[in-house]
């Protein structure tokens, strides 16, 4: 089953895969539970890792690194992310969506969803996959998702894939490579 991109002000028109739709729903619940006004990139990353096994496999460092990353993301609600509470995630590292803002979404998260949709559209009439969203999240070097990835020791630069690029599992299991 596929879902349409959530209401993010036209940032994306491609349908979402089941995993990405679950990640968006999980990010929304996580933001509400944490008392955050907006879904941010760390909410999206956390929910994406929980919902999409392919995304977890794409991270270099194997299962131990994924566990460490999830540990940092869990700590968000018990201290690590408290400095983010009440603030809007906008690193200003990437241009905002033309509308300038989407209710319920941080500017960085809305921009990442739009980029993920564009990546899917470049492949044809296909849904946004978890790897599209992961590649879009790491484009903004100052977003919260990248901060958490770097704290967990993930090579973020190695996760950046050209917009028309496709993810392929490397034969050594050390992460994605562009094809």
């Amino acid at each position: 089953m596929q879902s349409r991109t959530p209401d993010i002000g036209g940032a994306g028109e491609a349908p979402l895969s089941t995993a990405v739709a679950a990640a968006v729903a999980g990010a929304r619940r996580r933001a509400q539970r944490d008392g955050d006004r907006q879904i941010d990139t760390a909410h999206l990353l956390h929910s994406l890792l929980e919902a999409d096994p392919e995304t977890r496999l794409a991270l270099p460092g194997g299962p131990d690194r994924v566990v460490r990353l999830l540990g940092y993301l869990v700590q968000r609600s018990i201290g690590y992310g408290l400095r983010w509470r009440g603030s809007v995630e906008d690193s200003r590292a990437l241009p905002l969506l033309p509308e300038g803002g989407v209710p319920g979404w941080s500017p960085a998260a809305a921009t990442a969803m739009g980029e993920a949709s564009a990546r899917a559209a470049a492949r044809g009439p296909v849904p946004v996959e978890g790897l599209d969203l992961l590649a879009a999240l790491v484009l903004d070097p100052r977003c919260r998702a990248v901060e958490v990835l770097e704290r967990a020791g993930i090579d973020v630069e190695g996760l950046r894939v050209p917009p028309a690029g496709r993810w392929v599992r490397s034969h050594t299991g050390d992460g994605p490579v562009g094809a």
Side-chain angles (χ1 to χ4, degrees):
M1 180 173 144
Q2 296 175 356
S3 168
R4 297 287 305 159
T5 302
D7 181 18
I8 55 174
E13 298 301 324
L16 303 179
S17 68
T18 302
V20 174
V24 169
R28 181 173 286 115
R29 283 189 305 273
R30 182 166 273 111
Q32 289 173 344
R33 184 187 62 231
D34 292 348
D36 295 328
R37 295 183 325 222
Q38 297 178 325
I39 296 170
D40 67 23
T41 60
H43 293 125
L44 285 171
L45 178 63
H46 193 167
S47 295
L48 180 61
L49 291 173
E50 290 176 339
D52 188 20
E54 188 175 49
T55 299
R56 289 190 302 273
L57 286 173
L59 294 174
D64 291 340
R65 192 59 51 105
V66 172
V67 168
R68 182 175 180 187
L69 174 58
L70 285 168
Y72 277 114
L73 288 162
V74 167
Q75 289 179 30
R76 172 193 182 107
S77 61
I78 59 172
Y80 173 68
L82 287 180
R83 63 188 157 87
W84 294 336
R85 190 169 309 268
S87 66
V88 174
E89 177 188 33
D90 180 10
S91 70
R92 302 192 193 283
L94 297 176
L96 293 177
L97 295 172
E99 297 82 18
V102 180
W105 290 76
S106 75
T111 300
M113 285 300 298
E115 175 63 24
S117 182
R119 286 171 182 273
R123 292 194 314 273
V126 298
V128 176
E129 298 291 340
L131 295 177
D132 295 319
L133 182 53
L134 178 63
L137 286 169
V138 299
L139 283 179
D140 183 345
R142 296 187 313 221
C143 76
R144 293 173 182 174
V146 168
E147 181 180 338
V148 175
L149 285 162
E150 288 174 340
R151 281 201 177 220
I154 304 288
D155 174 23
V156 176
E157 196 61 39
L159 293 174
R160 293 194 173 104
V161 178
R166 295 192 54 172
W167 293 81
V168 203
R169 220 33 210 136
S170 106
H171 68 280
T172 60
D174 60 355
V177 293

